[in-house]
Amino acid sequence: MATPLNGTVVITGASGSLGSKIALKIARRHPLCHLLLTARDVWSKKVEVLSEDIRSLGPRSFEIAKLDLASFRSVRKFAKSTVDRVRIGDIPSIQLLVNCAAIASFKADAFTEDGFDLVYQTNCLAPFLLTIDLLEAFRLSDGGNGTRVINIGCSLMSHGKLDYFDNHTSRKIDSPLGVDEGLIRFGSSKLLLNTLMYALRRSLAMTSKIDLSIFTLDPTRASYSSRHATKTPAKPRMKTGLLLAIPYMTQMFLTNMINSASRSADAVVKVAFDPLKHDRIGEEKYFVLEDEYYVRDMVKLTNDHEFMEIFLRQSLMDVGVADEEIVSPV
Ligand SMILES: NC(=O)c1ccc[n+]([C@@H]2O[C@H](COP(=O)([O-])OP(=O)(O)OC[C@H]3O[C@@H](n4cnc5c(N)ncnc54)[C@H](OP(=O)(O)O)[C@@H]3O)[C@@H](O)[C@H]2O)c1
């Protein structure tokens, strides 16, 4: 009789350099996981190569599903089908979600069909909505080693501005943005993703809706060596962001962002499967590779509970989720 699978692992951006490495390493080291890998284009060469690499490891349970984070419709469709499949026992309950996909753009893009900045929606709002819409598929888990959501962060959030996406200036579609502005835009999307996902985690913990560990892991790679930038800008200048703690910036300088995708993927897999101490509210974890920190010491903004609460409610509205599903009544 075949050994039963022990959980589903969802990885977004599996066609990317980091996402594909994470998928391959999990397939190698945790053969009893079902891998539900997502890509915008399931027929791309990258996906084909990844599928072959996984098959070459021997019998593995994996599939590639279409998911476009620039569309809430696509996110909802993927999440609904996943929850339905978990319910009927077609795939095991979710034990891990890695929000890895991201985009950087150095030109003025058209707003998404949902009316948001493309980078903001892809990097922040869509992974947030995906996590919420998959909650039921996590909830059906028997707990075990603990269910987790890992958000892939980036030190470029030190360039981020909280209100970057509030100011919609009208620009000619496709006109160039310039490196500095592109980095601020990308960094802002990552800063807001971090903050929002920790706010979600706190809210879920406080309302005891689900025991789900949600945290950020910074893979500290050489930024913009990847394909997610539409142009390769010069090496980013590091600014001391007011919202980030100094030790974090020092760490970033020291590690000098030189890790390979393989090294970063090793850290993700370790943190994803190693036993994790329970993170209480105010003591949430933040990882730089596999090194563990408290998010309160790394991203100062997360100490501002009032902002976190307001931002969570606003974002729930933006993605069309009723806040009573997530937040406790005040
Ligand atoms: N590279 C670095 O130096 C570095 C440093 C720090 C942090 N990170 C973080 O690591 C993660 C992975 O980056 P990477 O280096 O692997 O970049 P990458 O090779 O460019 O991969 C990005 C992935 O995101 C996917 N993606 C983009 N837009 C999407 C959308 N609308 N819907 C669904 N998927 C979409 C891409 O899919 P397609 O194949 O369809 O384009 C691709 O799979 C990102 O979160 C990034 O911020 C990277």
Side-chain angles (χ1 to χ4, degrees), residues 128-146:
F128 172 65
L129 176 62
L130 178 64
T131 306
I132 291 173
D133 277 1
L134 287 176
L135 284 178
E136 197 53 36
F138 280 105
R139 208 176 267 129
L140 294 165
S141 159
D142 64 358
N145 195 17

Side-chain angles (χ1 to χ4, degrees), residues 13-19 39-41 67-70 99-103 122 152-155 186 190 218-229:
S15 55
S17 47
L18 181 57
R40 267 193 294 198
D41 176 5
L67 171 62
D68 181 359
L69 295 169
N99 284 314
C100 185
I103 190 170
T122 307
I152 301 299
C154 182
S155 60
F186 179 79
K190 288 287 188 177
D218 184 333
T220 74
R221 298 183 45 216
S223 296
Y224 295 99
S225 59
S226 66
R227 300 173 302 117
H228 69 233

Side-chain angles (χ1 to χ4, degrees), residues 154-155 157-160 191 194 218 238-253 286 288 293-303:
C154 182
S155 60
M157 72 177 171
S158 62
H159 292 252
L191 174 66
N194 271 310
D218 184 333
M238 301 298 285
K239 295 179 192 166
T240 308
L242 291 174
L243 301 163
L244 296 174
I246 296 300
Y248 180 63
M249 299 310 299
T250 314
Q251 168 91 17
M252 289 304 94
F253 269 121
Y286 184 106
V288 179
Y293 300 86
Y294 287 126
V295 68
R296 61 163 190 246
D297 297 332
M298 309 295 274
V299 186
K300 288 182 196 163
L301 185 57
T302 58
N303 294 317

Side-chain angles (χ1 to χ4, degrees), residues 198-229:
Y198 282 107
L200 174 63
R201 157 147 172 70
R202 276 182 204 175
S203 188
L204 293 174
M206 276 177 354
T207 53
S208 306
K209 300 249 186 212
I210 181 171
D211 183 18
L212 182 61
S213 291
I214 300 180
F215 51 84
T216 297
L217 184 148
D218 184 333
T220 74
R221 298 183 45 216
S223 296
Y224 295 99
S225 59
S226 66
R227 300 173 302 117
H228 69 233

